[in-house]
Amino acid sequence: MPRIIALMTAAALATAVTPSAAHAGPPGEPDSGTFAPITAPVAPAGVNAAPAGVNAAPAGVNAAPARVSTASAGVQAAPAGVRTAPAAAGVSSATAASVPPPDDPVAERLTAALLAAGEAPAGFTPQTDAVDDLFARIPAEIAACGTGARVPAGTVYREYVRGAGEEELLVETLAEPGADAARAAVTKLAGVLPACTSFTRAAGEVPADMGFALSAYPLAPAIGDASAAVSFVMTVPTLKLTVKGRLLAAAAGKTYVTVMLMSEADPKVADLEAAARAAVAKVA
């Protein structure tokens, strides 16, 4: 999928990566896509909190570009294709490419539950150089109709690509907010339509507006304890890019699962649904 990955990566590298005001929640409050923090308090909006054991960058120093995945002191390097959301809202996207310290058994368990190469639909392989949370945050953004949502705290995610030209992108996210919160997240996504049919992610990490048009997902399957689904079209006018996507979310016990398939052609729904069922089966 060169136009989705390569073009948007080039755009991301054109600017320093810091959370923009368009994505930040009110001062002292979690972003709207964030579950209750698991390991750390929420940083005020606009503050780039460093992970435990990592020295914060001096004032005026730009954060690392989105595709830089260098491990910081005290933070283990991420396994190939694995990304973890920061434990607190407001953490720079540059830190999202590292797994949490080894004393976080929940994140370790969730990482192990992500679909492996042989468990994803045929032909999909983990992407070893993901663009941080550029795509993994889309489920939270859709559920919040674009109002400042980021990847929920404690979420682990992995991206998979298929095709000689990386023609399709599959994104899986796993979080463990508890059974009630997982069901609430499904309910929130299920209720986004018809009140919200479109929103725009303002230029921030990527110096280009990204538009989202939402619609119903016909004949969406019931998965897990509760599930919801949405179809969407993402457009980036300055890049002349239009991508079709479908999103499935499910509560499985105390785990919240999302699986999303994006393609410039029509997404292969059977593969998305098979991936969602496999993802839920691994955490059920």
Side-chain angles (χ1 to χ4, degrees):
M1 191 186 303
R3 283 175 50 77
I4 296 178
I5 301 297
L7 287 181
M8 298 192 76
T9 298
L13 288 175
T15 184
V17 180
T18 53
S20 67
H23 304 312
E29 295 183 8
D31 290 340
S32 56
T34 305
F35 298 121
I38 295 175
T39 59
V42 175
V47 177
N48 296 336
V54 180
N55 293 329
V61 177
N62 290 333
R67 291 181 71 86
V68 175
S69 301
T70 303
S72 303
V75 180
Q76 292 184 329
V82 177
R83 297 291 183 265
T84 305
V91 179
S92 170
S93 294
T95 66
S98 298
V99 296
D103 59 350
D104 188 343
V106 173
E108 290 181 355
R109 184 172 67 255
L110 291 176
T111 297
L114 288 166
L115 295 176
E119 296 169 327
F124 278 102
T125 55
Q127 184 179 331
T128 57
D129 193 14
V131 189
D132 290 330
D133 67 354
L134 188 65
F135 300 111
R137 77 175 69 161
I138 290 176
E141 288 182 309
I142 289 177
C145 198
T147 55
R150 297 189 70 87
V151 178
T155 300
V156 299
Y157 52 97
R158 180 175 285 155
E159 298 175 356
Y160 314 77
V161 292
R162 178 168 67 182
E166 297 182 352
E167 296 169 350
E168 299 166 278
L169 175 66
L170 183 73
V171 183
E172 176 190 8
T173 78
L174 297 177
E176 194 174 284
D180 290 343
R183 284 179 174 269
V186 169
T187 299
K188 183 177 182 181
L189 180 64
V192 71
L193 291 169
C196 174
T197 57
S198 64
F199 63 89
T200 298
R201 180 196 291 182
E205 290 91 339
V206 176
D209 286 354
M210 297 169 62
F212 291 83
L214 311 183
S215 60
Y217 184 143
L219 303 176
I223 299 175
D225 302 324
S227 60
V230 175
S231 299
F232 65 92
V233 175
M234 182 187 79
T235 57
V236 187
T238 58
L239 301 180
K240 299 180 179 179
L241 176 64
T242 299
V243 179
K244 300 176 182 179
R246 294 209 179 185
L247 166 65
L248 272 169
K254 55 187 178 180
T255 306
Y256 180 60
V257 181
T258 74
V259 182
M260 179 177 65
L261 181 59
M262 301 171 64
S263 175
E264 290 188 74
D266 289 331
K268 296 178 177 62
V269 177
D271 287 339
L272 171 64
E273 294 174 0
R277 289 190 176 93
V280 167
K282 289 195 71 173
V283 298

